[in-house]
Amino acid sequence: MSFGGGLAAWTRREVVQRRGWLDDPQFLSGYALSQLIPGATNVNLAVFIGTLMRGASGAVAAFAGLTALPVAIILAAGALYLHAQSNSAMAWLSGILGGMGAVAIGLSLGTGVRLARRNLRGVVPFAITAVVTTAIGILGLPLIQVLLVMLPVSLFAAWALPRR
Amino acid sequence: MIATLLRLAALFGFLSMLAVGGGAGIIPDMQRAVVDRYQWMSATQFLDMFAISRAAPGPGSLIVVLIGLKVAGLLGAAVSFLAMFAPSCLAVHAIARTWHNAARSRWRPVLERALGPVAVGLTFASGLALMRGTEHEWTAWTVTGVSTLLFSFTEINPVVLLIAGGSIMLLIG
């Protein structure tokens, strides 16, 4: 039951410190892998931990354990939403969802600010972020085109520039 | 029906492989496909679903379950879920046991540093694309602006913000 982040720190406390399933270097390298592989970081991390502990069955168990309840909840919420759209309850529901949508956009932008303060050091990373933001967020270019150009650019910059 | 399921599977399977840096970056492409190309729903409905997926527990990419449910019922939800999560989970599973040695290579910090600025840009872009996609009135602008500031610079719980935003718009809308 994780709302909006912070799960990795909690997972580390449970898996490394309290239960001793993995040691800290294992956990950290798994966390790095989970971020490098596309997809939800927490889900990837659960599959990583499950695989190291019990192989394929562990991976399936970890995946199911992490996603079963959220999927059930979102299915219920989705069914309610689709039902409400077809009757008069939608009038006030659309007000609430409009406000939640406006906040959800703010959460994305705020997450960007948080990540930027933690990750961006120097002019070149800032420029890369600005180009990606503009290309997709303002010009509306397809993600794959932007990634095909900007991932190599960013890799080259990370390799060529001294670490700050 | 089969054609729709195949479309869902192809769309989310493709996007799942592009979901670098956590997954927020695929939202603009998802919106374009779901709203403009296939016209499965309006931009407002897409933003509704985005908000629901942020308010619910679990990864934000569970928005694909909502889309699948609307487009093709429970089967659509299941197909979308598998298409979104199977590729990355199989990749992690395949690499997990050999990763630890590779993890010590000097490429790993370079990869991580390279991904950072791109992921930050993708996160900003997803917020901007959602804003462009829907009609944003001044009240919504204000709510977006205030929640951006609060979430950027305080440790406020996102669900508290979502509930507050929903309540405010219900009262004044």
Side-chain angles (χ1 to χ4, degrees):
Chain A
M1 294 293 282
S2 66
F3 291 96
L7 186 65
W10 180 87
T11 310
R12 183 175 172 196
R13 202 160 58 231
E14 283 293 319
V15 169
V16 177
Q17 290 165 357
R18 194 166 306 169
R19 303 183 193 225
W21 285 343
L22 303 182
D23 59 33
D24 220 28
Q26 273 181 321
F27 181 86
L28 289 176
S29 76
Y31 187 60
L33 176 70
S34 307
Q35 290 180 306
L36 290 176
I37 298 262
T41 305
N42 295 328
V43 176
N44 289 345
L45 183 59
V47 172
F48 179 86
I49 296 168
T51 302
L52 286 202
M53 291 180 61
R54 293 278 186 281
S57 55
V60 171
F63 178 76
L66 190 68
T67 55
L69 195 54
V71 165
I73 290 172
I74 205 139
L75 277 175
L80 279 176
Y81 171 72
L82 295 177
H83 178 71
Q85 285 210 309
S86 55
N87 65 43
S88 55
M90 198 53 206
W92 59 268
L93 189 63
S94 71
I96 295 178
L97 285 171
M100 286 170 57
V103 171
I105 292 173
L107 292 179
S108 289
L109 299 174
T111 305
V113 173
R114 283 187 178 194
L115 288 174
R117 288 199 303 174
R118 211 177 325 145
N119 285 308
L120 300 188
R121 298 279 180 275
V123 178
V124 174
F126 250 103
I128 291 169
T129 294
V131 169
V132 172
T133 303
T134 311
I136 296 176
I138 295 173
L139 302 178
L141 296 178
L143 176 62
I144 186 155
Q145 294 177 10
V146 175
L147 287 181
L148 282 176
V149 175
M150 293 313 288
L151 276 180
V153 168
S154 196
L155 260 179
F156 177 78
W159 171 76
L161 292 175
R163 186 170 208 164
R164 289 170 193 260
Chain B
M1 182 67 179
I2 299 290
T4 309
L5 291 176
L6 286 176
R7 270 186 191 152
L8 284 168
L11 172 65
F12 295 136
F14 174 68
L15 287 179
S16 77
M17 285 180 265
L18 303 181
V20 295
I26 60 176
I27 289 294
D29 278 48
M30 197 186 288
Q31 173 176 253
R32 215 164 27 238
V34 167
V35 175
D36 302 334
R37 196 189 321 150
Y38 297 130
Q39 307 198 329
W40 283 328
M41 65 187 72
S42 70
T44 305
Q45 288 174 316
F46 184 82
L47 182 58
D48 286 348
M49 291 186 176
F50 181 72
I52 293 171
S53 69
R54 286 306 299 258
S61 32
L62 284 181
I63 188 178
V64 301
V65 172
L66 292 173
I67 295 169
L69 185 68
K70 172 165 171 58
V71 173
L74 274 178
L75 201 53
V79 166
S80 304
F81 176 73
L82 286 178
M84 189 70 221
F85 288 100
S88 57
C89 288
L90 288 174
V92 172
H93 179 67
I95 306 173
R97 288 185 188 282
T98 51
W99 168 248
H100 201 55
N101 297 323
R104 266 173 291 191
S105 84
R106 63 196 181 87
W107 274 101
R108 188 181 128 196
V110 174
L111 268 174
E112 285 171 20
R113 268 188 298 148
L115 210 53
V118 175
V120 179
L122 293 175
T123 309
F124 279 126
S126 72
L128 291 178
L130 286 167
M131 214 154 36
R132 284 191 331 137
T134 46
E135 286 179 29
H136 232 55
E137 295 171 19
W138 71 268
T139 43
W141 277 106
T142 312
V143 171
T144 299
V146 170
S147 45
T148 303
L149 288 176
L150 283 175
F151 196 61
S152 300
F153 300 109
T154 71
E155 293 300 315
I156 192 166
N157 186 315
V159 176
V160 172
L161 269 180
L162 286 162
I163 292 171
S167 315
I168 288 170
M169 291 298 266
L170 177 65
L171 289 175
I172 62 174

